């Protein structure tokens, strides 16, 4: 079931270029102060306004990542495509694309970055969906 998330962005045109142009989201309904995009099949509503404050308090390995953050779990092939696109653009990552828990239950690929408004995003990739909740 798709989720719905509404976040604030500083500039709608810039947010559309980032989400639709760079990440491959699909443009949806819009008004002068907001736009809906299909973010990997989920409804992400981008509204003009001040983004939420975040702090790097979430420990991922040895890196502190911003909390709160949002993201999606992707098929590994889709995750790799996005990682390659961002790397080709010279994108600045909070946490570079990498594999975590290699060879263990829950093996996953992850990357952290921010949108142009500073909203932190984590994208995860799994080779097997049943490993998402493995322990």
């Amino acid at each position: 079931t798709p989720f719905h998330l509404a976040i604030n962005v500083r500039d709608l045109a810039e947010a559309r270029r980032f989400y639709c142009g760079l990440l491959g989201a699909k443009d949806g309904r819009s008004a002068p102060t907001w736009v809906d995009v299909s973010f990997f099949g989920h409804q992400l509503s981008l509204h003009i306004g001040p983004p939420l404050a975040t702090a790097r308090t979430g420990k991922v390995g040895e890196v502190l990542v911003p909390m709160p953050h949002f993201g999606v779990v992707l098929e590994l092939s889709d995750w790799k495509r996005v990682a390659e696109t961002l790397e080709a653009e010279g994108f600045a990552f909070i946490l570079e694309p990498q594999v975590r828990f290699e060879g263990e239950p829950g093996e996953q690929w992850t990357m952290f970055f921010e949108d142009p408004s500073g909203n932190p995003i984590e994208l995860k990739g799994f080779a097997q969906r049943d490993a998402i909740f493995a322990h």
Side-chain angles (χ1 to χ4, degrees), residues 14 22 28-29 35 45 47 76 84 91 93 104 107 129:
E14 178 182 57
L22 195 57
R29 297 177 308 130
V35 61
S45 296
H47 291 256
L76 187 54
E84 289 169 2
F91 203 77
F93 291 93
E104 299 177 33
E107 179 177 287
R129 291 188 73 77

Side-chain angles (χ1 to χ4, degrees), residues 26-106:
K26 305 292 182 236
D27 235 345
R29 297 177 308 130
S30 65
T33 60
W34 59 267
V35 61
D36 284 343
V37 299
S38 175
F39 185 65
F40 302 102
H42 303 280
Q43 185 187 44
L44 180 60
S45 296
L46 308 169
H47 291 256
I48 291 292
L52 290 175
T54 63
R56 292 191 181 196
T57 59
K59 193 167 185 183
V60 176
E62 296 302 313
V63 177
L64 290 176
V65 298
M67 297 297 289
H69 62 266
F70 74 97
V72 294
V73 175
L74 301 172
E75 297 293 331
L76 187 54
S77 60
D78 292 332
W79 182 91
K80 287 180 176 181
R81 180 185 47 76
V82 173
E84 289 169 2
T85 299
L86 294 175
E87 288 172 327
E89 291 287 323
F91 203 77
F93 291 93
I94 296 167
L95 183 64
E96 298 280 334
Q98 60 189 267
V99 65
R100 297 186 66 230
F101 312 119
E102 190 167 12
E104 299 177 33

